[in-house]
Amino acid sequence: MKVDGKPYRTIWLGADGTTVQAIDQTLLPHKFVVRDFRTMEDAEKAIRTMIVRGAPLIGAAAAYGMALAMAADPSDAGLKRGYDVLMASRPTAVNLRWALDDLRALLSPLARGKRRDAAYKRAAEICDEDADICRRIGENGLGLIRKLKPRSGERINALTHCNAGWLATVDWGTALSPIYQAHDAGIPIHVWVDETRPRNQGASLTAWELSKHGVPHTVIADNAGGHLMQHGKVDFCIVGTDRTTRRGDVCNKIGTYLKALAAHDNGVPFYVGLPYPTIDWTISDGHREIPIEERSPIEVSRMAGRTASGEVVAVDILPEGSPAANPAFDVTPARLVTALVTERGVCPASEAGLLSLYPEQAKAA
Ligand code: MRU
């Protein structure tokens, strides 16, 4: 996607062929800064501190993290250390495990001297594949949008939560890819953007990337969605996911479940865009089996923003001494999901639905 006319991906290999570069998402929308990752530890810190975030991008960053690990130490011990350190960076997005397992399986049988180049090559392939997958999710979601009739006014109103746009992936996005493709196809579409407390990925990132692409949108407080749905102002919801189980339970940013409940109560379709590495075929019950990341309470108690003079500052918003809790994800049960939108097509959120698109996974049951 383009930033001020210049095409960007979220992560790429630098001109020296070793350093990895990525957009720093902690500074958006106020500053556009590109960070260098020179070591595996840089990549791990970037994932942990959310310089890069979003399930598919976490996977891509982990793949490059393994390449950096191999550049420093291609021994078996270096491979194990890279895998273990990166795996511990964030617990919920299964794309992390998917990418690390992929790299480990590729690199383990290779001689030490071949591991570095093989890891860089595979990381680049994972990035290209993610961009292509997300483009295809967009095409499949566009088919759903074309069937919708606006409930009020002339344009289609979407609602999304968190950021599952191109910033969360290598390019295009998952939930936002159909929206970009609808907009580019001339369909009048407007997006209600949940601000997504506590880290405000909707207000900071989704609004930023939609505005860069010229997609009409309005940021709303997280609590406004149900009211808008009751008044016919939402034609469909679409979100991304960090992990979806084989029976179609969807783990995503905290607050997604409440939007799915409101959508269900109001007969609003609730779609989830996802690439195949986000499906965790090893588990069924998302509520019981998905580890939910508990992040620092400071993300709840402190907010950052730009002052009138342009300075970016952080302020504390709680009474001194009030504790805060910060579960970062929740699980929306499959029964509240109208359909899953994947690179292979659209299916019901169920084991049978997913297996109809991925029959090769039937044996993994
Ligand atoms: O904590 P984050 O910002 O990494 O959480 C991201 C989300 O919840 C996204 O909606 C999800 O990863 C899907 S990304 C295509």
Side-chain angles (χ1 to χ4, degrees), residues 158-225:
L159 184 145
T160 194
H161 191 69
C162 195
N163 173 263
W166 74 269
L167 288 170
T169 65
V170 174
D171 210 348
W172 283 104
T174 53
L176 294 195
S177 183
I179 289 169
Y180 286 127
Q181 298 202 27
H183 173 81
D184 291 352
I187 295 171
I189 190 161
H190 163 264
V191 187
W192 299 109
V193 177
D194 283 354
E195 61 177 347
T196 318
R197 282 281 287 144
R199 286 187 66 103
N200 292 325
Q201 290 96 326
S204 303
L205 304 177
T206 300
W208 182 81
E209 59 165 273
L210 289 175
S211 65
K212 289 288 171 200
H213 199 78
V215 180
H217 62 280
T218 308
V219 179
I220 51 174
D222 287 327
N223 298 326

Side-chain angles (χ1 to χ4, degrees), residues 41-63:
E41 288 78 6
D42 289 346
E44 185 278 334
K45 185 177 175 200
I47 297 170
R48 181 167 37 82
T49 61
M50 297 175 66
I51 287 171
V52 293
R53 30 67 54 201
L57 178 55
I58 289 171

Side-chain angles (χ1 to χ4, degrees), residues 50 52-58 90 93 134 161-165 168-169 173-175 199 201 205 239-242 251-254 256 273 275 278 293 295 328-329:
M50 297 175 66
V52 293
R53 30 67 54 201
L57 178 55
I58 289 171
R90 288 193 74 187
C134 288
H161 191 69
C162 195
N163 173 263
T169 65
T174 53
R199 286 187 66 103
Q201 290 96 326
L205 304 177
V239 298
T241 168
D242 295 81
C251 181
N252 194 48
K253 182 54 54 190
I254 193 80
T256 303
T278 305
E293 181 179 8
R295 293 186 63 86
F329 297 92

Side-chain angles (χ1 to χ4, degrees), residues 299-331:
E299 293 181 350
V300 176
S301 64
R302 187 168 295 167
M303 290 183 80
R306 191 182 53 230
T307 64
S309 66
E311 196 190 357
V312 178
V313 295
V315 292
D316 290 325
I317 60 170
L318 298 191
E320 257 180 65
S322 284
N326 189 11
F329 297 92
D330 61 26
V331 175

Side-chain angles (χ1 to χ4, degrees), residues 10-315:
T10 51
I11 192 164
W12 62 93
L13 185 58
D16 66 3
T18 302
T19 308
V20 178
Q21 298 188 294
I23 299 169
D24 185 341
Q25 303 197 19
T26 62
L27 300 178
L28 290 172
H30 308 302
K31 289 184 187 154
F32 184 84
V33 173
V34 171
R35 295 283 177 213
D36 288 346
F37 309 154
R38 297 182 197 284
T39 63
M40 179 271 286
E41 288 78 6
D42 289 346
E44 185 278 334
K45 185 177 175 200
I47 297 170
R48 181 167 37 82
T49 61
M50 297 175 66
I51 287 171
V52 293
R53 30 67 54 201
L57 178 55
I58 289 171
Y64 269 125
M66 286 297 277
L68 289 162
M70 292 300 91
D73 175 7
S75 68
D76 286 353
L79 182 57
K80 180 174 179 338
R81 183 162 176 276
Y83 183 97
D84 291 346
V85 170
L86 289 161
M87 184 68 100
S89 57
R90 288 193 74 187
T92 306
V94 77
N95 304 56
L96 177 70
R97 186 183 79 202
W98 172 85
L100 292 174
D101 284 350
D102 182 294
L103 266 288
R104 185 172 62 180
L106 171 78
L107 300 174
S108 293
L110 296 184
R112 288 174 54 141
K114 295 201 181 277
R115 285 179 175 169
R116 178 199 179 281
D117 288 357
Y120 272 104
K121 180 165 174 286
R122 182 61 189 136
E125 283 168 5
I126 284 174
C127 289
D128 288 345
E129 188 185 52
D130 184 67
D132 186 57
I133 283 173
C134 288
R135 183 185 52 73
R136 285 189 278 147
I137 290 170
E139 287 169 3
N140 293 328
L142 175 59
L144 295 172
I145 295 173
R146 284 193 192 283
K147 291 186 194 140
L148 295 170
K149 300 264 175 293
R151 292 174 191 223
S152 68
E154 311 249 301
R155 58 189 186 179
I156 297 289
N157 282 298
L159 184 145
T160 194
H161 191 69
C162 195
N163 173 263
W166 74 269
L167 288 170
T169 65
V170 174
D171 210 348
W172 283 104
T174 53
L176 294 195
S177 183
I179 289 169
Y180 286 127
Q181 298 202 27
H183 173 81
D184 291 352
I187 295 171
I189 190 161
H190 163 264
V191 187
W192 299 109
V193 177
D194 283 354
E195 61 177 347
T196 318
R197 282 281 287 144
R199 286 187 66 103
N200 292 325
Q201 290 96 326
S204 303
L205 304 177
T206 300
W208 182 81
E209 59 165 273
L210 289 175
S211 65
K212 289 288 171 200
H213 199 78
V215 180
H217 62 280
T218 308
V219 179
I220 51 174
D222 287 327
N223 298 326
H227 166 79
L228 293 171
M229 290 185 220
Q230 284 178 319
H231 288 265
K233 292 188 175 162
V234 180
D235 296 302
F236 73 110
C237 299
I238 188 160
V239 298
T241 168
D242 295 81
R243 191 184 298 223
T244 287
T245 70
R246 64 182 297 125
R247 76 176 187 197
D249 292 345
V250 169
C251 181
N252 194 48
K253 182 54 54 190
I254 193 80
T256 303
Y257 170 53
L258 289 175
K259 293 302 140 71
L261 283 172
H264 186 72
D265 195 43
N266 289 284
V268 173
F270 190 91
Y271 298 124
V272 178
L274 74 163
Y276 79 87
T278 305
I279 305 166
D280 188 344
W281 296 100
T282 68
I283 58 173
S284 282
D285 184 339
H287 180 60
R288 287 174 198 277
E289 296 180 271
I290 297 180
I292 299 294
E293 181 179 8
E294 184 78 35
R295 293 186 63 86
S296 167
I298 287 179
E299 293 181 350
V300 176
S301 64
R302 187 168 295 167
M303 290 183 80
R306 191 182 53 230
T307 64
S309 66
E311 196 190 357
V312 178
V313 295
V315 292

